[in-house]
Amino acid sequence: MSLAVGILIVPAAAKAPVPAPSDAPTIVLVHGAFMDASNWDAVREELDRLGYRTIAVTLAGRGGSASDSDTPSLEAYRDAVLAAIAGETRPVVLVGHSFGGITISNVAEAAPDRIAALVYLAAYLPRNGQSLQMLAGMDRDSRTAAAFVVDAERGVASIASDQRGSLFCNDCEPATAKAAGAMMVSEPLAPLAEPARLGERFARVPRFYIRTAHDLVISPAQQSRMIAATPAAGVLQLDTGHSPMLSQPGALAALLADLAAPAASAEEHQNVR
């Protein structure tokens, strides 16, 4: 496993894809709010070409989930990921996008020895007791509040259809932004207010953060505040909006491959500032 030392900011173009060595860990991809596993399809294709095994998890409470009958909760989300990695023989690299950052944190607290590293992609990086609702409330620069539509009767929220692409895929080509908006789903409300319960077990798992420089959903300023509060072993940056898996899947795959490659040296990371 490649372990960065200190804080490093590198442009995506500086990272060439790293072919998977024979002992490469499986890369497990956890989506964020209003999304499902299909959002990772292009990244999975790129990683597959490099020889990496990937798993993409769809969480409860949205169409296509194997656990739709479960009541959506942070516990159900955690358990869905634990079930997805149960058959893996080596620790995995666990990647969480957006709200998925809270899910992967809870997985690490439950099973730290199953996780080689956590990767937060434009993600909420919570401290103990913090929820998405709490962290989002701190983000004065996010532009999602005006587009957030609550259906209290059904217990779900959605993003206004005419603002989905421009918020979540603001750096995408128009056709990709339109498709991204069409892919978005309703999000169960209750888990958004649930606090993460984290302690020493979570703290001992190596963490990396991939910042998104033009993010309108979780602002770069809020990303920096969360990193300062819960320092990461390494911080990298993509010149994208909130959904680089859609706008720059190749660049994102290259970063994930670099973090997952056991052969990548810590010295390489130390020399990039």
Side-chain angles (χ1 to χ4, degrees), residues 29 40 43 56 78-79 84 98 169 195 228 238 248 265:
L29 305 161
W40 295 108
V43 171
R78 178 201 66 195
D79 290 349
S98 197
C169 213
L238 283 167
Q248 290 195 28
S265 69

Side-chain angles (χ1 to χ4, degrees), residues 104-116:
I104 68 171
S105 300
N106 287 331
V107 174
E109 178 65 24
D113 294 337
R114 303 302 310 276
I115 315 301

Side-chain angles (χ1 to χ4, degrees), residues 12-21 43 45-52 249-261 264 268:
K15 291 294 178 185
V18 178
V43 171
E45 290 177 8
E46 296 285 345
L47 289 170
D48 181 68
R49 278 194 283 271
L50 294 171
Y52 286 90
L252 174 57
L255 288 188
L256 296 179
D258 179 69
L259 291 172
E268 172 196 347

Side-chain angles (χ1 to χ4, degrees), residues 12-176:
K15 291 294 178 185
V18 178
S22 59
D23 59 347
T26 297
I27 299 175
V28 181
L29 305 161
V30 181
H31 63 77
F34 312 109
M35 297 182 175
D36 62 24
S38 65
N39 286 267
W40 295 108
D41 286 353
V43 171
R44 296 186 74 187
E45 290 177 8
E46 296 285 345
L47 289 170
D48 181 68
R49 278 194 283 271
L50 294 171
Y52 286 90
R53 169 172 160 75
T54 63
I55 298 172
V57 182
T58 290
L59 302 177
R62 62 208 73 227
S65 170
S67 54
D68 275 340
S69 60
D70 295 340
T71 300
S73 66
L74 291 187
E75 181 179 4
Y77 295 169
R78 178 201 66 195
D79 290 349
V81 178
L82 289 171
I85 66 175
E88 298 300 307
T89 58
R90 293 194 299 269
V92 303
V93 171
L94 196 51
V95 183
H97 174 244
S98 197
F99 186 26
I102 293 180
T103 295
I104 68 171
S105 300
N106 287 331
V107 174
E109 178 65 24
D113 294 337
R114 303 302 310 276
I115 315 301
L118 299 169
V119 180
Y120 294 81
L121 172 63
Y124 289 107
L125 174 52
R127 302 186 75 182
N128 182 46
Q130 290 183 323
S131 65
L132 177 147
Q133 188 176 79
M134 184 182 300
L135 289 166
M138 299 175 183
D139 192 356
R140 297 183 301 274
D141 299 311
S142 173
R143 300 188 189 177
T144 56
F148 193 78
V149 180
V150 173
D151 184 339
E153 183 176 348
R154 293 176 54 221
V156 299
S158 60
I159 298 296
S161 59
D162 63 340
Q163 298 182 61
R164 292 175 179 179
S166 61
L167 283 173
F168 281 72
C169 213
N170 55 304
D171 60 316
C172 294
E173 295 295 329
T176 303

